[in-house]
Amino acid sequence: MDNDKKGLLFVISGPSGVGKGTICKKLLERRKELKLSVSVTTRAPRPGEIEGVNYFFRSEEQFQDMIARDEFLEYMCVFGKNHYGTPKAYVAEQRAQGNDVILEIDVNGALNVKKRCPDAVMIFIAPPSMETLKKRLVGRGTETEEAVERRFAEAVKELAAAGEYDYIVVNDSLDKAVKDTESILVSERLHVSNNPKLINILKGE
Ligand code: ADP
Ligand code: 5GP
């Protein structure tokens, strides 16, 4: 029996340093039908980051041109400093081909996606404690002290938005957080509302 093939849209967000990137990487290794939307950013690449894999790195001017051409599903000035945006063409193409797409984005951007795509599945990744969040942000070693403080202050506001999401996953043990997130992906795929063709076949239509 044929299954429905329209790809689902999963939005994974939560404060900086909570482990979104780490969880998404593991999910992508485990589920080949999942595609990660690569965002555009005006921030400088970190050591080891690859153009087109981690981000599309663009100048502020190039980013503004993309806004003018209406190329973003959503975009944000994150931490009052750099711009980040989700190119909409890739998301639409992948979903049309039946691939599920993950957006790993900040909380404000996520809430905007929900407005534009009400069928998006919203997953909030929460830290086990604020102390752990700070340790992870510092431990990652990618931010200056000032950037850690800015991201941490933003985190307090972001946590207050968790109630706007469909699911919440606490990233304490990484293995458990990956399994919990994967089970959300699997359940959504099996949900009757995401299988109308199959339901019609079963009805004999
Ligand atoms: P985000 O993408 O949300 O900013 P990262 O995925 O970069 O966060 O994770 C931040 C840091 O925390 C990284 O150094 C990562 O290895 C570490 N980390 C992520 N999840 C866990 C976990 N469950 N336990 C311990 N360390 C973790
Ligand atoms: P980082 O600089 O650590 O890679 O990312 C900073 C924050 O920007 C993270 O919370 C990340 O999820 C978010 N982010 C990355 N890409 C996008 C995007 O396309 N849109 C929005 N709104 N946020 C993004």
Side-chain angles (χ1 to χ4, degrees):
M1 274 183 214
D2 193 15
N3 227 336
D4 282 79
K5 282 296 174 205
K6 187 176 185 230
L8 304 180
L9 181 60
F10 295 100
V11 180
I12 298 197
S13 75
S16 181
V18 74
K20 302 180 294 291
T22 309
I23 292 171
C24 286
K25 191 163 174 277
K26 298 241 175 228
L27 286 173
L28 292 162
E29 286 164 8
R30 290 163 75 120
R31 306 195 70 81
K32 295 298 168 203
E33 77 283 10
L34 264 188
K35 304 290 168 193
L36 179 71
S37 160
V38 178
S39 296
V40 178
T41 184
T42 60
R43 85 150 161 74
R46 293 177 186 143
E49 283 188 331
I50 299 168
E51 163 73 15
V53 175
N54 304 94
Y55 283 104
F56 296 106
F57 296 97
R58 295 291 178 267
S59 67
E60 185 59 42
E61 196 187 348
Q62 289 170 320
F63 198 96
Q64 292 301 329
D65 285 346
M66 290 184 75
I67 295 176
R69 290 195 298 267
D70 193 25
E71 290 181 20
F72 290 118
L73 176 61
E74 63 75 39
Y75 64 90
M76 276 286 147
C77 187
V78 180
F79 314 124
K81 219 176 163 213
N82 293 306
H83 277 101
Y84 295 79
T86 306
K88 63 179 166 191
Y90 179 83
V91 175
E93 278 159 24
Q94 291 300 323
R95 294 188 74 190
Q97 286 171 30
N99 293 318
D100 294 343
V101 180
I102 289 192
L103 306 187
E104 187 222 305
I105 61 176
D106 89 316
V107 170
N108 291 318
L111 298 178
N112 280 339
V113 171
K114 186 71 186 173
K115 280 186 215 140
R116 293 189 76 169
C117 308
D119 64 341
V121 180
M122 306 283 291
I123 305 172
F124 190 90
I125 311 293
S129 68
M130 293 310 275
E131 203 189 349
T132 309
L133 180 66
K134 185 104 172 230
K135 271 194 201 144
R136 285 185 192 163
L137 255 180
V138 173
R140 190 169 64 184
T142 54
E143 281 1 275
T144 60
E145 206 175 308
E146 186 220 336
V148 167
E149 287 312 321
R150 198 169 46 231
R151 284 170 184 242
F152 193 70
E154 197 60 33
V156 176
K157 293 185 223 156
E158 290 177 323
L159 292 176
E164 309 282 321
Y165 284 66
D166 300 311
Y167 296 95
I168 182 158
V169 171
V170 177
N171 182 18
D172 192 352
S173 140
L174 179 61
D175 274 356
K176 181 168 187 307
V178 172
K179 277 188 197 133
D180 286 351
T181 311
E182 191 175 19
S183 68
I184 297 166
L185 269 47
V186 172
S187 304
E188 287 290 331
R189 242 292 129 248
L190 299 175
H191 199 279
V192 284
S193 63
N194 290 322
N195 290 278
K197 269 193 211 156
L198 183 53
I199 298 300
N200 283 340
I201 290 167
L202 294 171
K203 281 200 281 190
E205 288 172 5

